[in-house]
């Protein structure tokens, strides 16, 4: 397991592009496989999580052809063309693969088993298994279906009207995928809007789905048309460079072609509210998703309070926002973020624990944390806790710490962003 070390950087400069958005990549693979023909996917996320989703479809008879590093042709077999796999479908560390596939596999006419790595198999699945059972799904798993491995016997589903207990794109998308096959209408309401890539992609594909406020509703689909998908750069990956450029004095960078879907731009709003100079340029729409170039200049940051509906819009970026907060003047309070406790690690506990090693005062709260900014982040020996976003956030901290920060167990970065260190090194010159 590899250890990564980063040290003080003198400035970050230049332009960069990033691999495709992980969430959109999963969905492009799914809808290509369910389409009735040949689809092209450009700028697919190169991480292991998207590769798990792709491999699962290959196990169900889908043919794919690589067309260069990040490009792929997928030949769909239609909504009813998937074949029963003869082995367990392995989802690795990917919560998105597991939850979305549980929704898609529940109405298939065959039997499947989904299983992931040790971390994944301890993440809550009742949140999808519960409503899917209400739709008529037959799913068995450890702890009454809360933990994978999950065994799914395909069955006939009926639409339900379901209100999510938490804002979650994984639960919502799982139920939308099940709803594509269900009798009647499937209606899903969230307490706040989570990322809406599934809904946008269906709209872009011309599949009927209605949306009003935080409710989405659909009936069974007849067909999904083949499409070319151009995946924007991942804003969750861009966030590490945004924070790095804000913190390292004298930096100016332009991150080109990044997805700026409003359900994902919480991190930009937060960093701007902290005093960061971040500008969106050349805003355009690609495949139903807003895309922009993001200009960032180093800035003095101040602590703020972060809570409410902005949390689901920035949920994956909180670890790197915590690094920004650790270097800001004053106190940053993060609340309403209990969901962080059930991510790839308990991100409230792991962020607090690792920042404390760097000499930062962090008070853990049940649903967030209170971070007191310091001018002198200390070097330290840290751990990733097997969580890619904790590893990359700490690597950013090392760029401004007084002595190097080393992070143990960094192979996990490959789950979302294998090019992370190469890109960072390019910018640091
Ligand atoms: C994702 C949704 C989010 C996010 C995850 C990817 C998706 O999870 O944390 O990294 O692609 O739908 P929740 O929807 O469970 O909050």
């Amino acid at each position: 397991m590899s250890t990564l070390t980063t040290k003080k950087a003198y400035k970050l400069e230049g332009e960069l592009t990033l691999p495709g958005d992980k969430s959109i990549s999963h969905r492009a693979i799914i809808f290509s496989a369910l389409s009735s023909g040949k689809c092209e996917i450009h700028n697919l996320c190169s991480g292991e999580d998207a590769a798990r989703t792709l491999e699962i479809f290959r196990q169900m008879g889908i043919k794919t052809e690589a067309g260069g590093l990040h490009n792929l042709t997928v030949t769909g077999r239609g909504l009813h063309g998937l074949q029963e796999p003869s082995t367990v479908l392995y989802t690795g560390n990917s919560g998105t693969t597991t939850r979305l596939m549980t929704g898609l596999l529940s109405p298939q006419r065959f039997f499947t088993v989904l299983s992931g790595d040790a971390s994944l198999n301890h993440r809550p699945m009742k949140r999808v298994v519960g409503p899917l059972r209400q739709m008529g799904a037959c799913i068995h798993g450890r702890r009454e279906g809360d933990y994978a491995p999950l065994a799914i016997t395909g069955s006939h589903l009926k639409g339900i009207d379901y209100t999510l207990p938490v804002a979650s794109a994984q639960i919502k998308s799982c139920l939308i995928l099940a709803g594509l096959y269900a009798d009647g209408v499937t209606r899903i309401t969230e307490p706040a809007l989570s990322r809406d890539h599934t809904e946008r992609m269906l709209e872009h594909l011309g599949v009927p789905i209605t949306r009003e406020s935080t409710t989405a509703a659909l009936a069974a689909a007849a067909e999904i048309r083949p499409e070319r998908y151009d995946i924007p750069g991942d804003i969750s990956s861009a966030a590490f460079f945004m924070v790095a450029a804000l913190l390292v004095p004298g930096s100016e960078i332009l991150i080109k072609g990044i997805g700026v879907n409003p359900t994902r731009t919480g991190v930009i709003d937060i960093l701007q509210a902290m005093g960061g100079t971040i500008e969106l340029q050349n805003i355009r729409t690609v495949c139903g998703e807003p895309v922009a170039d993001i200009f960032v200049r180093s800035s003095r940051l101040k602590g703020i309070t972060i809570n409410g509906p902005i949390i689901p819009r920035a949920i994956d970026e909180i670890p790197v926002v915590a690094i920004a907060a650790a270097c800001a003047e004053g106190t940053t309070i993060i609340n309403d973020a209990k969901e962080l406790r059930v991510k790839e690690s308990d991100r409230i506990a792991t962020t607090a624990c690792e920042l404390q090693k760097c000499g930062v005062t962090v008070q853990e709260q049940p649903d967030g944390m209170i971070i007191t900014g310091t001018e002198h982040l200390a070097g330290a020996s840290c751990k990733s806790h097997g969580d890619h976003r904790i590893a990359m956030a700490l690597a950013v901290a090392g760029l401004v710490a007084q002595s190097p920060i080393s992070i143990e167990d960094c192979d996990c970065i490959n789950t979302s962003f294998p090019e992370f260190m190469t890109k960072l090194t390019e910018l640091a010159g």
Side-chain angles (χ1 to χ4, degrees):
M1 281 188 282
S2 61
T3 297
L4 195 72
T5 304
T6 52
K7 62 179 195 321
K8 210 176 203 43
Y10 288 93
K11 67 177 170 186
L12 303 184
E13 230 178 0
E15 290 186 3
L16 79 157
T17 55
L18 296 176
D21 186 274
K22 179 157 77 77
S23 292
I24 300 177
S25 293
H26 285 295
R27 288 151 173 87
I29 295 167
I30 293 172
F31 291 126
S32 296
L34 298 179
S35 80
S36 47
K38 243 184 194 178
C39 302
E40 277 179 37
I41 308 180
H42 293 263
N43 200 34
L44 189 71
C45 172
S46 46
E48 287 165 0
D49 283 9
R52 302 288 179 213
T53 297
L54 192 60
E55 183 52 32
I56 284 176
F57 281 105
R58 288 196 188 110
Q59 285 178 259
M60 296 194 290
I62 297 296
K63 298 272 181 283
T64 66
E65 233 177 280
L69 199 54
H70 301 300
N71 301 338
L72 192 73
T73 303
V74 177
T75 306
R77 293 173 53 94
L79 277 159
H80 300 280
L82 299 175
Q83 294 169 343
E84 183 172 77
S86 54
T87 54
V88 169
L89 301 173
Y90 183 63
T91 61
N93 194 243
S94 179
T96 309
T97 307
T98 313
R99 297 200 178 102
L100 269 54
M101 291 310 298
T102 305
L104 177 63
L105 293 170
S106 290
Q108 303 302 322
R109 290 182 200 135
F110 50 75
F111 174 78
T112 43
V113 179
L114 290 168
S115 185
D117 67 11
S119 149
L120 191 280
N121 285 357
H122 285 90
R123 292 181 65 187
M125 294 298 151
K126 229 3 173 339
R127 48 179 58 202
V128 292
V129 170
L132 285 171
R133 282 179 179 160
Q134 285 179 35
M135 293 176 81
C138 175
I139 307 172
H140 292 91
R142 296 189 299 131
R143 303 210 182 181
E144 296 174 358
D146 198 22
Y147 285 173
L150 298 175
I152 306 168
T153 305
S155 40
H156 199 80
L157 303 188
K158 58 178 193 309
I160 54 166
D161 206 325
Y162 187 71
T163 300
L164 270 58
V166 289
S168 162
Q170 293 183 356
I171 309 177
K172 173 176 61 177
S173 303
C174 160
L175 299 179
I176 290 176
L177 288 167
L180 287 174
Y181 295 83
D183 282 346
V185 174
T186 301
R187 185 174 288 102
I188 307 142
T189 302
E190 298 186 90
L193 194 62
S194 65
R195 64 192 68 190
D196 64 354
H197 305 302
T198 309
E199 299 92 302
R200 279 175 186 258
M201 208 172 266
L202 286 173
E203 279 169 348
H204 180 69
L205 290 165
V207 176
I209 177 162
T210 59
R211 302 177 63 193
E212 214 189 295
S213 176
T214 61
T215 299
L218 77 160
E223 195 191 12
I224 292 182
R225 69 160 193 247
E227 181 66 29
R228 174 192 161 115
Y229 296 90
D230 287 287
I231 305 195
D234 196 330
I235 190 168
S236 297
S237 301
F240 298 106
F241 299 100
M242 288 185 221
V243 172
L246 289 174
L247 296 182
V248 176
S251 298
E252 252 189 34
I253 64 167
L254 185 67
I255 319 172
K256 298 185 84 173
I258 300 300
V260 288
N261 178 320
T263 60
R264 297 285 298 282
T265 47
V267 63
I268 296 179
D269 297 348
I270 289 169
L271 294 171
Q272 285 173 335
M274 293 176 83
T277 301
I278 303 183
E279 289 160 18
L280 299 193
Q281 302 174 352
N282 187 18
I283 302 175
R284 61 261 190 203
T285 301
V286 181
C287 297
E289 289 280 348
V291 177
D293 302 337
I294 304 177
F295 172 79
V296 190
R297 181 184 295 133
S298 57
S299 313
R300 286 181 72 82
L301 301 182
K302 57 179 194 306
I304 58 166
T305 296
I306 306 165
N307 56 23
I310 201 164
I311 295 289
R313 297 179 51 234
I315 193 71
D316 289 343
E317 290 69 64
I318 300 295
V320 77
V321 163
I323 304 299
C327 301
E329 192 187 323
T331 302
T332 295
I333 302 169
I334 302 171
N335 292 127
D336 301 328
K338 202 165 151 222
E339 275 297 292
L340 291 174
R341 296 217 178 262
V342 291
K343 294 294 178 187
E344 287 83 328
S345 68
D346 173 345
R347 287 185 178 156
I348 296 176
T350 52
T351 303
C353 160
E354 298 308 314
L355 273 179
Q356 282 158 359
K357 291 182 190 165
C358 302
V360 184
T361 304
V362 186
Q363 273 169 264
E364 223 185 278
Q365 306 283 293
D367 65 344
M369 56 196 124
I370 302 173
I371 302 169
T372 309
T374 170
E375 276 179 39
H376 305 292
L377 206 62
S381 293
C382 294
K383 288 195 166 75
S384 73
H385 302 266
D387 184 332
H388 56 136
R389 301 207 193 279
I390 299 293
M392 292 185 276
L394 291 166
V396 169
L399 303 178
V400 288
Q402 293 191 311
S403 55
I405 290 185
S406 65
I407 312 127
E408 261 177 50
D409 187 10
C410 279
D411 292 343
C412 53
I413 291 175
N414 293 334
T415 60
S416 65
F417 192 9
E419 304 82 349
F420 171 69
M421 268 321 282
T422 316
K423 296 272 178 191
L424 192 62
T425 313
E426 267 167 36
L427 280 185

